[in-house]
Amino acid sequence: MKKQLVNNALFFCTLLIPFISIAQYPGQHLNKLSVDTKVPIKAYAFNLANVRLLDGPFKENMKRDEQWIMSIATDRLLHDFRVTAGMKVTSKSLGGWESMDSELRGHTTGHVMSALALLYASTGDSIYKNKGDSLVAGLAQVQMVLNQGGYLSAFPQHLIDRCIAGQQVWAPWYTLHKIMAGLIDMYLYTGDMQALSVAKKMSAWAYEKLRPLTAEQIAVMLKNEFGGMNDAFYNLYSITGNPKDLKLAEIFYNKKLLDPLAAKQDDLGGLHANTQIPKIIGEARGYELTGHTKGKDISDFFWNTVINTQTYATGGNSDKEHFAKPGQLSPHLTGYTQETCNTYNMLKLTRHLFCWTGDETYMDYYEQALYNDILPQQDPETGMVCYFTPLKAGVFKVYSTRFQSFWCCVGTGFENHAKYGEGIYYHNDKGVFVSLFIPSVLNWKEKGIKIIQKTNYPKSANTNLKIITKSPIEMPLYIRYPSWAVSGASITVNGKSIKIKQAPGSFIMLNRKWKNGDNIEVSFPMSLRLVATPDNPKIAAIAYGPMVLAAPMGKEGIVPPAPFSDPLKHDDYYTYDYKIPNKISNQLNISIKDYKNWIKPSGNDNSGDEFSIKDGTTGGVLTLKPFYEIHRGRYNIYWQFK
């Protein structure tokens, strides 16, 4: 993301803290919050520590994520903080957006703390907690040496002063949000009390900094991107009950964006997308803690607007990080679509809305984005991640470098691949929602029951669920019936077929007394479908079940030395040159009405998810395969039909 000043706000991606609002707390050290949820809840998130991934592509991504995070030295993550405090340093600064000439320096350290906390919860391995504790201890020392009323950052406080004055600066509150979010996560997921102490001191500094400002000064300050500061302060308030934390969250209410949304006005076209999404998550959190329905109204309207008018087939949004004119997506199939931070944050917002409603629609989107934008983000050879998921015909993914990039999407990427367990299962007072079909084990300790899910989904339409319990338990099991599963579904319990009364786009309820060893087989036959752009029904992606299919387009014109990793300076990332050969095209001389007649299973890998598509005029044949499997080469997703 290039440093561009538009309307006095520097635009780039952001992230928010892991979902803690109506989940059981992810650590035994916490008995309850100081502030209870004030709104009705239909589905509660499970403690992440109660879910373990089994072998499959998600666990493979998590392992590569672990290796990368652990390879980054703690001293390098603390380097810029220590320099700012005038402390002695013996390590080198990290590169890219973490270099000493970057005004965003320090944001990655916050992301890494969050990722380490998530990895500890996801695996139980203390190596991640220990590294996180070391980062917290180092930051506490910096905060003490700075001795500025609790201020803590890798840049001097005058960057905040420039932001308040409306002067050009690269989003200092954004970075402080990442640091606070990481500290809160370390407290919630690992029980690090020092992390909570440091976060409280940061909040005390912020309160004294902002308390004297007029409404006009606040409005000027909020023109600059501030990430999810409102969400961070709401979450801190939920822990502390301190009314000053609540006041700080309310200070970061951005009227210019939020008031029109509350009035159900869509003014999103042209706005920097990920400047806005975290603000909505903060309002969703505020609704949960205060009961004020304005936050709910804003969240509902924003989510539906973005999904219906701004979202590509893969679940991502934005072109060069900005929203399009409502519904006008076909002109925006470029090399700079789908900043993955946006998808990260839309998934956070989606979890809030699902918990309020239990509506399967939200999990349909969650699955769409998870399989087609988050899972494909990571390079399986190196573990590096991409910033954009480009959609122009013939592009390829450009991945980060291990120690030199540290874009915003690297930071959210650290978290994306550390927390796959958080969206698979939910519960109400009675039973379990099986929302995603990912190999995993759920341990619902309070009920004395385990669910082992084994599946090769989405390579296979089948999922197996096995019940483990010491004594029989009567409990409903709610199994998601995806809206794309128009070919029906089948379920057997211990080999006996179960009649399904529900329709696609709902949850199938199995209510019975479960015994140890009970076996549930679920199948959702997959079929081909088109996902067209809202403004042009003849420009469409091809999907099979939950998977968006893409055509590999070879490697012609991709020239070493750095064809798939970012060789550019951190302020030149919009200059990707894909060098797309002229012969590559997304034109198909096929009528959109009978597209299925030209797409046939190829069966090359015996998985049932690979197809060939034959152009009706030229006779040329292309292979179609799941997009998440395509790496280090050109591809195409959207097609122009007749």
Side-chain angles (χ1 to χ4, degrees):
M1 151 201 341
K2 201 171 220 173
K3 292 182 183 178
Q4 302 180 73
L5 196 61
V6 183
N7 295 330
N8 295 322
L10 283 165
F11 297 136
F12 58 101
C13 61
T14 186
L15 113 134
L16 292 144
I17 72 173
F19 188 79
I20 65 170
S21 59
I22 44 191
Q24 294 180 351
Y25 274 97
Q28 296 302 316
H29 59 285
L30 281 177
N31 295 318
K32 70 170 190 175
L33 293 176
S34 295
V35 182
D36 293 330
T37 299
K38 301 290 195 301
V39 302
I41 300 302
K42 296 289 182 66
Y44 292 86
F46 274 101
N47 184 330
L48 185 58
N50 291 143
V51 180
R52 292 288 181 261
L53 295 183
L54 298 177
D55 289 345
F58 291 100
K59 188 171 182 179
E60 290 168 4
N61 270 26
M62 186 172 73
K63 286 181 177 178
R64 286 184 285 264
D65 189 38
E66 295 168 1
Q67 292 167 359
W68 185 9
I69 290 172
M70 295 305 293
S71 74
I72 306 172
T74 298
D75 283 346
R76 296 193 73 181
L77 288 163
L78 293 171
H79 174 278
D80 296 359
F81 291 87
R82 289 168 171 164
V83 170
T84 296
M87 299 167 65
K88 182 179 179 180
V89 294
T90 57
S91 61
K92 295 192 303 180
S93 176
L94 295 168
W97 289 15
E98 285 298 333
S99 61
M100 284 299 297
D101 66 347
S102 169
E103 291 179 343
L104 207 68
R105 61 191 183 271
H107 73 114
T108 300
T109 302
H111 286 292
V112 168
M113 284 192 292
S114 290
L116 289 167
L118 290 162
L119 286 170
Y120 174 67
S122 295
T123 66
D125 193 333
S126 61
I127 189 174
Y128 307 117
K129 171 176 163 48
N130 293 342
K131 182 163 185 169
D133 288 344
S134 296
L135 285 171
V136 170
L139 292 175
Q141 186 180 32
V142 168
Q143 188 179 52
M144 180 183 68
V145 172
L146 281 170
N147 193 27
Q148 296 178 18
Y151 176 75
L152 173 63
S153 185
F155 49 73
Q157 195 172 160
H158 69 76
L159 268 67
I160 298 289
D161 296 332
R162 284 161 52 190
C163 180
I164 292 171
Q167 299 170 356
Q168 182 170 338
V169 63
W170 198 8
W173 284 110
Y174 169 96
T175 298
L176 295 193
H177 164 240
K178 304 300 166 279
I179 298 167
M180 283 201 70
L183 291 165
I184 292 171
D185 290 343
M186 281 298 300
Y187 170 66
L188 290 172
Y189 288 99
T190 77
D192 190 322
M193 297 300 296
Q194 188 174 37
L196 180 60
S197 174
V198 174
K200 286 180 176 180
K201 291 173 184 176
M202 289 183 71
S203 179
W205 163 80
Y207 185 80
E208 293 304 317
K209 187 78 173 180
L210 300 181
R211 180 174 56 86
L213 301 186
T214 65
E216 290 75 18
Q217 287 176 304
I218 292 293
V220 168
M221 181 184 76
L222 296 185
K223 290 180 179 180
N224 193 293
E225 184 175 8
F226 55 81
M229 283 307 313
N230 54 346
D231 191 45
F233 284 125
Y234 275 127
N235 282 308
L236 188 59
Y237 167 65
S238 75
I239 296 167
T240 66
N242 186 340
K244 292 181 179 179
D245 295 330
L246 176 61
K247 177 63 177 176
L248 283 166
E250 293 169 342
I251 283 174
F252 281 90
Y253 180 90
N254 183 220
K255 293 181 179 180
K256 187 174 182 181
L257 170 76
L258 299 174
D259 282 353
L261 292 172
K264 294 182 169 52
Q265 298 173 13
D266 178 5
D267 296 331
L268 298 178
L271 295 182
H272 180 262
N274 209 45
T275 295
Q276 321 312 328
I277 305 172
K279 300 172 186 176
I280 312 305
I281 301 173
E283 293 311 301
R285 186 62 176 127
Y287 162 64
E288 292 165 0
L289 292 174
T290 67
H292 298 156
T293 58
K294 186 177 182 180
K296 178 180 183 295
D297 295 341
I298 289 170
S299 303
D300 284 339
F301 181 74
F302 179 86
W303 189 91
N304 282 287
T305 299
V306 171
I307 297 303
N308 293 327
T309 71
Q310 299 286 348
T311 300
Y312 299 104
T314 51
N317 63 66
S318 77
D319 179 20
K320 287 192 175 180
E321 304 186 3
H322 289 70
F323 285 131
K325 292 181 180 179
Q328 300 298 306
L329 295 188
S330 64
H332 291 279
L333 302 176
T334 74
Y336 311 103
T337 49
Q338 304 187 113
E339 181 186 3
T340 52
C341 283
N342 298 14
T343 308
Y344 165 93
N345 277 316
M346 283 301 295
L347 291 179
K348 282 181 172 288
L349 180 60
T350 299
R351 294 194 76 205
H352 282 276
L353 273 63
F354 175 71
C355 288
W356 302 344
T357 65
D359 189 334
E360 189 273 344
T361 301
Y362 297 113
M363 296 314 298
D364 267 350
Y365 168 71
Y366 201 98
E367 178 182 71
Q368 173 192 7
L370 191 70
Y371 279 98
N372 300 302
D373 199 22
I374 299 300
L375 187 62
Q377 184 200 20
Q378 189 192 86
D379 176 21
E381 291 192 29
T382 64
M384 300 298 102
V385 297
C386 61
Y387 192 117
F388 299 112
T389 308
L391 291 173
K392 186 175 182 179
V395 293
F396 53 85
K397 300 172 195 172
V398 177
Y399 294 105
S400 58
T401 51
R402 187 167 295 274
F403 301 118
Q404 293 298 321
S405 303
F406 295 107
W407 313 312
C408 48
C409 297
V410 169
T412 53
F414 286 145
E415 297 185 45
N416 282 334
H417 308 293
K419 59 174 186 166
Y420 286 125
E422 73 175 7
I424 305 173
Y425 307 100
Y426 295 82
H427 71 91
N428 57 21
D429 293 338
K430 298 178 180 179
V432 173
F433 294 85
V434 180
S435 298
L436 297 173
F437 309 114
I438 293 175
S440 56
V441 178
L442 168 68
N443 184 5
W444 195 0
K445 297 178 181 178
E446 293 78 6
K447 292 284 188 179
I449 188 171
K450 289 184 179 180
I451 298 176
I452 301 173
Q453 181 174 183
K454 293 186 177 180
T455 181
N456 197 30
Y457 180 96
K459 290 279 190 179
S460 167
N462 301 325
T463 290
N464 175 270
L465 302 167
K466 186 175 182 179
I467 304 295
I468 305 295
T469 179
K470 290 184 178 180
S471 57
I473 179 172
E474 189 164 347
M475 181 189 77
L477 196 62
Y478 312 96
I479 300 174
R480 187 171 70 90
Y481 193 168
S483 61
W484 53 258
V486 294
S487 298
S490 65
I491 294 181
T492 64
V493 177
N494 299 329
K496 183 179 178 180
S497 292
I498 302 297
K499 184 177 181 180
I500 299 173
K501 298 178 181 179
Q502 294 83 1
S506 63
F507 280 88
I508 300 168
M509 185 175 74
L510 303 178
N511 195 4
R512 59 185 288 151
K513 183 173 285 188
W514 301 99
K515 300 185 297 294
N516 187 53
D518 278 348
N519 194 67
I520 305 148
E521 290 283 349
V522 184
S523 181
F524 299 112
M526 299 180 188
S527 57
L528 292 166
R529 57 192 171 90
L530 295 182
V531 185
T533 56
D535 54 311
N536 190 336
K538 292 186 178 182
I539 297 179
I542 301 168
Y544 182 64
M547 299 173 287
V548 170
L549 303 178
M553 294 287 191
K555 298 184 179 182
E556 181 181 342
I558 301 176
V559 181
F564 301 112
S565 62
D566 173 34
L568 308 171
K569 294 181 180 178
H570 65 273
D571 58 350
D572 291 329
Y573 60 93
Y574 274 159
T575 62
Y576 294 159
D577 185 358
Y578 295 104
K579 296 183 172 63
I580 300 172
N582 292 332
K583 67 180 182 181
I584 289 182
S585 171
N586 68 345
Q587 301 288 319
L588 291 176
N589 290 312
I590 296 172
S591 170
I592 199 164
K593 294 181 180 179
D594 62 350
Y595 73 95
K596 289 185 179 179
N597 294 332
W598 300 95
I599 303 175
K600 303 297 179 184
S602 63
N604 291 342
D605 60 358
N606 297 315
S607 66
D609 61 0
E610 187 170 305
F611 298 84
S612 61
I613 184 168
K614 188 174 182 180
D615 188 304
T617 299
T618 67
V621 176
L622 293 169
T623 297
L624 296 174
K625 60 191 299 184
F627 176 55
Y628 68 78
E629 293 185 338
I630 296 178
H631 297 276
R632 296 182 165 254
R634 302 186 185 278
Y635 59 83
N636 183 55
I637 289 177
Y638 274 93
W639 304 94
Q640 174 72 64
F641 290 87
K642 287 175 61 178

